[in-house]
Amino acid sequence: MQSVRPSECVVIIPTYNERENVSDIIDAVLRQPVRMDVLIIDDGSPDGTANIVREKMAANPGRVHLVERQGKLGLGTAYIAGFRWALERKQYQYIFEMDADFSHNPDSLPELYRAVTEGGADVAVGSRYVTGVNVVNWPMGRVIMSYYASVYVRKVTGLKVHDTTAGFVCYRRRVLETLELDKIRFKGYAFQIEMKFTAAKCGFKIVEVPIVFVNRVLGTSKMSGGIFGEAFFGVMQLKLSSWFRKYPKPVE
């Protein structure tokens, strides 16, 4: 029997009460033409999300993985835990992050992959705003808030990224090895901004790939006013602290 080459790609998906979506999102990632593994970071979902993931692990040995945490510890810390997990496994050269609720289309994963493997990017961002406003089924107020939040971030930080709060991203391994993950502080939208800002400060090339973002159909949004507040004030903190911080050079 011919052995299957281990995947170089892993898709990290944080979950909290995603039982309606988690099985389908795992299946959608596994069927991509580029072989990709899945890592679910579950924050103690009381709805049994982790049990569904364990069933998927049994059905797809070596392809689906689960890290369980006790309680809601924040989106940023979930991704940091996932990044560390992936970096401990040398096979993973391309590390993705995406939502569990299908707001990010899994069929766009290969486009992010190609932007990094063929397009010269170190970080590929699935962007809602690089070709206008590509958002479906969001209330107009939320679209306006999100769009102008990214404008605000660009003005304050100088980042050349249209969708600074995007959570659909592919990183080359060496980016995450370089970024000093223990110094990433923010947990919500500001986490996404901080990751891109730090990558840019370290000299990595960030490329935006146009996507269509679709508001969740099943389950409950985890958005809160505190998340927006952290992002607003966090951007100023990032800019100010960057004046006094020496950023590491890329790991070769």
Side-chain angles (χ1 to χ4, degrees), residues 135-139 143 213-217:
V135 177
V136 177
N137 292 336
W138 255 11
V143 173
F213 181 95
V214 180
N215 194 28
R216 71 160 60 236
V217 175

Side-chain angles (χ1 to χ4, degrees), residues 148-159 164-165 185-186 189-194 197 227-243 247:
Y148 283 103
S150 281
V151 172
Y152 163 74
V153 172
R154 293 202 306 273
K155 294 291 186 183
V156 173
T157 65
L159 258 178
T164 55
T165 61
R185 298 168 300 170
F186 296 114
Y189 271 134
F191 165 79
Q192 301 293 1
I193 299 165
E194 186 175 10
F197 180 77
I227 289 174
F228 281 107
E230 181 195 54
F232 183 84
F233 294 107
V235 168
M236 291 185 280
Q237 293 176 34
L238 278 177
K239 183 62 177 179
L240 288 172
S241 64
S242 71
W243 295 342
Y247 290 88

Side-chain angles (χ1 to χ4, degrees), residues 5-220:
R5 182 181 177 184
S7 175
E8 292 184 324
C9 303
V10 62
V11 181
I12 302 170
I13 306 175
T15 57
Y16 183 77
N17 285 349
E18 292 287 357
R19 64 173 294 113
E20 298 99 334
N21 294 305
V22 71
S23 178
D24 289 341
I25 198 72
I26 290 172
D27 289 343
V29 173
L30 294 182
R31 67 170 175 257
Q32 294 304 312
V34 178
R35 183 179 170 89
M36 297 181 176
D37 295 343
V38 181
L39 171 62
I40 302 295
I41 310 290
D42 187 67
D43 272 5
S45 297
D47 71 345
T49 296
N51 291 332
I52 296 172
V53 177
R54 279 189 281 271
E55 292 173 3
K56 288 294 181 182
M57 292 171 67
N60 301 276
R63 300 288 312 283
V64 180
H65 308 275
L66 173 65
V67 172
E68 294 184 82
R69 309 195 306 167
Q70 298 303 312
K72 296 180 69 174
L73 301 177
L75 181 72
T77 65
Y79 277 126
I80 294 295
F83 295 155
R84 294 190 188 283
W85 183 96
L87 291 176
E88 289 171 358
R89 290 151 178 85
K90 298 299 185 182
Q91 72 196 63
Y92 295 123
Q93 299 301 311
Y94 308 102
I95 300 162
F96 297 74
E97 56 175 62
M98 69 180 293
D99 292 346
D101 60 7
F102 284 93
S103 55
H104 303 140
N105 186 347
D107 292 341
S108 295
L109 285 166
E111 297 177 49
L112 299 184
Y113 175 77
R114 285 191 292 270
V116 173
T117 58
E118 301 173 14
D122 296 303
V123 181
V125 176
S127 177
R128 297 165 288 187
Y129 305 131
V130 70
T131 58
V133 178
N134 295 312
V135 177
V136 177
N137 292 336
W138 255 11
M140 184 54 66
R142 189 168 167 187
V143 173
I144 292 171
M145 182 181 293
S146 175
Y147 178 81
Y148 283 103
S150 281
V151 172
Y152 163 74
V153 172
R154 293 202 306 273
K155 294 291 186 183
V156 173
T157 65
L159 258 178
K160 306 299 183 184
V161 176
H162 290 81
D163 195 351
T164 55
T165 61
F168 194 22
V169 184
C170 174
Y171 297 94
R172 285 187 186 273
R173 180 186 184 91
R174 73 186 190 119
V175 176
L176 299 179
E177 289 175 331
T178 301
L179 255 51
E180 299 178 319
L181 295 176
D182 58 326
K183 294 185 179 180
I184 301 295
R185 298 168 300 170
F186 296 114
K187 296 182 179 181
Y189 271 134
F191 165 79
Q192 301 293 1
I193 299 165
E194 186 175 10
M195 288 293 292
K196 298 175 185 67
F197 180 77
T198 307
K201 283 292 187 180
C202 290
F204 290 110
K205 181 180 179 181
I206 303 174
V207 170
E208 291 184 88
V209 176
I211 64 160
V212 175
F213 181 95
V214 180
N215 194 28
R216 71 160 60 236
V217 175
L218 299 173
T220 304

